[in-house]
């Protein structure tokens, strides 16, 4: 929809213009190093592997502008831009008012934590993009139960697990909904 694209483009431009231009510190710097070295598994255990994030970062280093650290910092902004566009679409779905979706997404885009995580190399924004997609699919599934919506929800949830183990948290809800709908 137009609302989704408008929200996405506005957020992506905000985060592109304000993303950190150099090497990040702590986890973000480690993510940058792991992308540059194609380290999909890491040595710090499963909870810190984030293989899909590292693979997405490998794609972002092919961008035709900026240096590698800046490109990887912008990946966080793209994740949040998707999440905000999904939020606007979900709010439109619930309220049938486009302006509510866009205003709430814009307010969230400018909150300190959302903005900060969107300007550095961080996995949480991609996790939020996945979770907001799951929420959108869950609402569609509850309104109009179809097997392909349930399959899409399972697929996006599985992708989310390859980004961050936070994707495990909503699984009991999805399982309960699936059982109720199949019953």
């Amino acid at each position: 929809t137009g609302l989704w694209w408008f929200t996405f483009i506005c957020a992506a431009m905000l985060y592109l213009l304000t993303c950190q231009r150099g090497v990040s510190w702590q986890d973000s710097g480690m993510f940058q190093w792991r992308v540059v070295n194609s380290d999909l598994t890491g040595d710090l255990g499963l909870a810190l592997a984030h293989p899909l994030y590292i693979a997405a970062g490998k794609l972002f280093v092919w961008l035709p502008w900026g240096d590698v650290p800046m490109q990887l910092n912008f990946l966080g902004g793209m994740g949040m831009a998707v999440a905000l566009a999904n939020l606007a679409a979900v709010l439109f779905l619930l309220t049938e008012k486009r302006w509510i979706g866009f205003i709430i997404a814009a307010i969230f885009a400018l909150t300190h934590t959302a903005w900060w995580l969107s300007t550095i190399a961080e996995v949480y924004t991609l996790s939020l993009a996945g979770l907001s997609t799951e929420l959108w699919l869950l609402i569609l599934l509850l309104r109009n139960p179809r097997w392909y919506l349930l399959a899409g929800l399972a697929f996006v949830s599985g992708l989310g697990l390859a980004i961050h183990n936070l994707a495990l948290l909503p699984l009991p809800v999805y399982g309960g909904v699936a059982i109720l709908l199949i019953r």
Side-chain angles (χ1 to χ4, degrees), residues 13-177:
M13 292 306 297
L14 169 68
Y15 299 137
L16 174 63
L17 294 172
T18 61
C19 76
Q20 187 180 60
R21 298 303 196 247
V23 176
S24 299
W25 58 290
Q26 291 186 333
D27 288 354
S28 299
M30 181 183 68
F31 294 142
Q32 291 170 331
W33 181 87
R34 286 184 55 209
V35 168
V36 168
N37 291 290
S38 300
D39 181 10
L40 290 174
T41 58
D43 295 328
L44 300 174
L46 182 60
L48 296 175
H50 314 301
L52 189 55
Y53 176 85
I54 302 301
K58 290 301 287 182
L59 293 175
F60 258 67
V61 299
W62 291 349
L63 290 174
W65 43 262
D67 58 5
V68 171
M70 184 226 174
Q71 293 162 335
L72 296 174
N73 290 331
F74 182 54
L75 174 58
M78 290 298 286
M80 186 61 80
V82 169
L84 292 168
N86 289 347
L87 176 63
V90 164
L91 290 170
F92 171 67
L93 189 64
L94 295 175
T95 65
E96 297 183 3
K97 293 179 174 35
R98 283 181 174 81
W99 69 270
I100 289 176
F102 181 75
I103 293 296
I104 297 300
I107 290 169
F108 188 70
L110 296 172
T111 61
H112 183 267
T113 301
W115 171 79
W116 174 250
L117 291 175
S118 301
T119 60
I120 59 174
E122 191 55 72
V123 299
Y124 296 122
T125 59
L126 290 180
S127 293
L128 190 54
L131 183 62
S132 62
T133 303
E134 292 171 26
L135 179 60
W136 195 357
L137 286 167
L138 182 63
I139 291 168
L140 293 174
L141 179 65
L142 291 172
R143 288 187 171 184
N144 188 16
R146 296 287 182 257
W147 71 268
Y148 60 87
L149 292 172
L150 183 58
L153 182 59
F155 177 74
V156 173
S157 181
L159 286 177
L161 187 55
I163 296 171
H164 197 285
N165 59 3
L166 286 174
L168 293 170
L169 293 177
L171 284 183
V173 173
Y174 303 155
V177 167

